[in-house]
Amino acid sequence: MSARPEARGVQITARPITAKAFAPFGDVIETDTVPPQMINEGLCRRFSDLARFDQTGGRIAMSLFQAELREMPYRCNLLERHPLGSQCFIPMSQAAFLVIVAPDEGGRPGPASAFLATNDVAVNIARNTWHGVLAPISGSGLFAVIDRIGSGDNLEEHRLEEPVFVITTP
Amino acid sequence: MSARPEARGVQITARPITAKAFAPFGDVIETDTVPPQMINEGLCRRFSDLARFDQTGGRIAMSLFQAELREMPYRCNLLERHPLGSQCFIPMSQAAFLVIVAPDEGGRPGPASAFLATNDVAVNIARNTWHGVLAPISGSGLFAVIDRIGSGDNLEEHRLEEPVFVITTP
């Protein structure tokens, strides 16, 4: 019970997201990772099959999330994971958003990492991966989300003992 | 063999897309159609389960399409349909795009209609529905696409005898 709880916590810097660095946690969906197929009489490039949708039971569905824009430094005190399915976030504006993830350590999240997604990428968080909630820092805050809908408890939450403060490099 | 082929054709006006008007052809994915669920400690509204993904065999996958912006009036001379799966287009910029569709008439497209999608909507074209190719007229031209990937012939094309010219109201 500190009088200045905000003075506690860990500061981490969000790294620009890359497919390689993010691989332990899921997929970065971008046009750089596969060669395109030309379709529509040469007027469209198709980059196929970029996310690993991974569901147990239920079905894959599409929803919209309208999230409030967050201010930096971003204070994160809650991580969650979805044991029954992956969750893919597709920004519907040219937004920047934070993706905070952590490895599992015996049923609890280990040390958190933060990534900054920009430049027209979507992010698919792997099933059962600890992550922070959707945190756009620019754009409209509107995202399409592809995740599992069905019966069963698909949400596990873990409140951090000390918050994580995320900053970005200038 | 006309010397002035562009003088032939049918002109149609793209109507603003609405879920009701588009219902025979698929889903309009927007935040207006269902009440939201508040998630993430009140900082995000979730509008759940807005598209009817409909696949025969194969699997639902995610791809990116980078389409060239089209000029108006838009000339459409090719419709296609996908007998094995629905196809969902999610704009990743706040784009406007044309959605040209037609009813089936004995294995060929009947008269085409055009819709203008704007204001942060995605569009899911129902399985086996005749439609024009992705035709953004503003924005970045980048779309996430959720459709079927798998074996089997999932593309049927029909070249129109006379082109359709699509205009928008001022």
Side-chain angles (χ1 to χ4, degrees), chain A residues 45 47 49-50 59 62 64, chain B residues 47 49-50 59 62 64:
Chain A
R45 290 180 294 155
F47 304 84
D49 202 11
L50 302 177
R59 60 188 168 82
M62 176 169 171
L64 294 178
Chain B
F47 305 84
D49 202 9
L50 302 177
R59 61 188 167 82
M62 175 168 171
L64 294 178

Side-chain angles (χ1 to χ4, degrees), chain A residues 82-112:
Chain A
H82 306 296
L84 303 181
S86 56
Q87 191 173 43
C88 184
F89 295 95
I90 304 163
M92 291 179 68
S93 59
Q94 292 168 298
F97 58 107
L98 297 172
V99 184
I100 301 169
V101 288
D104 184 64
E105 292 188 351
R108 303 161 53 103

Side-chain angles (χ1 to χ4, degrees), chain A residues 25-161:
Chain A
F25 308 107
D27 308 308
V28 177
I29 295 133
E30 57 191 344
T31 57
D32 296 341
T33 47
V34 300
Q37 171 190 5
M38 293 304 298
I39 61 172
N40 300 347
E41 303 184 306
L43 296 176
C44 187
R45 290 180 294 155
R46 177 182 174 123
F47 304 84
S48 278
D49 202 11
L50 302 177
R52 288 167 291 182
F53 295 152
D54 172 21
Q55 269 73 22
T56 296
R59 60 188 168 82
I60 298 173
M62 176 169 171
S63 301
L64 294 178
F65 281 23
Q66 179 66 60
E68 290 192 21
L69 296 189
R70 305 308 210 278
E71 294 187 353
M72 300 298 293
Y74 175 65
R75 181 183 188 276
C76 170
N77 65 349
L78 180 73
L79 296 180
E80 63 183 34
R81 61 177 177 176
H82 306 296
L84 303 181
S86 56
Q87 191 173 43
C88 184
F89 295 95
I90 304 163
M92 291 179 68
S93 59
Q94 292 168 298
F97 58 107
L98 297 172
V99 184
I100 301 169
V101 288
D104 184 64
E105 292 188 351
R108 303 161 53 103
S113 303
F115 294 91
L116 180 63
T118 57
N119 297 322
D120 301 318
V121 304
V123 174
N124 187 46
I125 294 174
R127 183 162 66 89
N128 221 27
T129 294
W130 292 110
H131 63 278
V133 301
L134 180 60
I137 62 174
S138 73
S140 70
L142 184 68
F143 288 70
V145 176
I146 311 293
D147 65 3
R148 176 192 179 276
I149 288 185
S151 60
D153 186 2
N154 191 24
L155 176 62
E156 184 177 354
E157 290 180 320
H158 182 88
R159 195 161 294 275
L160 302 178
E161 290 171 13

Side-chain angles (χ1 to χ4, degrees), chain B residues 27-108:
Chain B
D27 309 307
V28 178
I29 296 135
E30 57 190 342
T31 57
D32 295 342
T33 45
V34 300
Q37 170 191 5
M38 294 303 299
I39 61 172
N40 301 348
E41 302 185 305
L43 295 177
C44 187
R45 290 180 293 155
R46 178 181 174 123
F47 305 84
S48 279
D49 202 9
L50 302 177
R52 288 167 290 181
F53 295 150
D54 172 19
Q55 268 74 23
T56 297
R59 61 188 167 82
I60 299 172
M62 175 168 171
S63 301
L64 294 178
F65 281 22
Q66 179 65 61
E68 288 192 23
L69 296 189
R70 305 308 209 277
E71 293 188 353
M72 301 298 293
Y74 174 65
R75 182 182 187 276
C76 170
N77 65 349
L78 182 73
L79 296 179
E80 62 183 35
R81 61 178 177 175
H82 306 296
L84 302 180
S86 57
Q87 190 172 43
C88 184
F89 295 95
I90 305 163
M92 291 180 67
S93 59
Q94 291 169 297
F97 57 107
L98 297 172
V99 184
I100 301 169
V101 287
D104 184 65
E105 291 187 352
R108 303 161 53 102

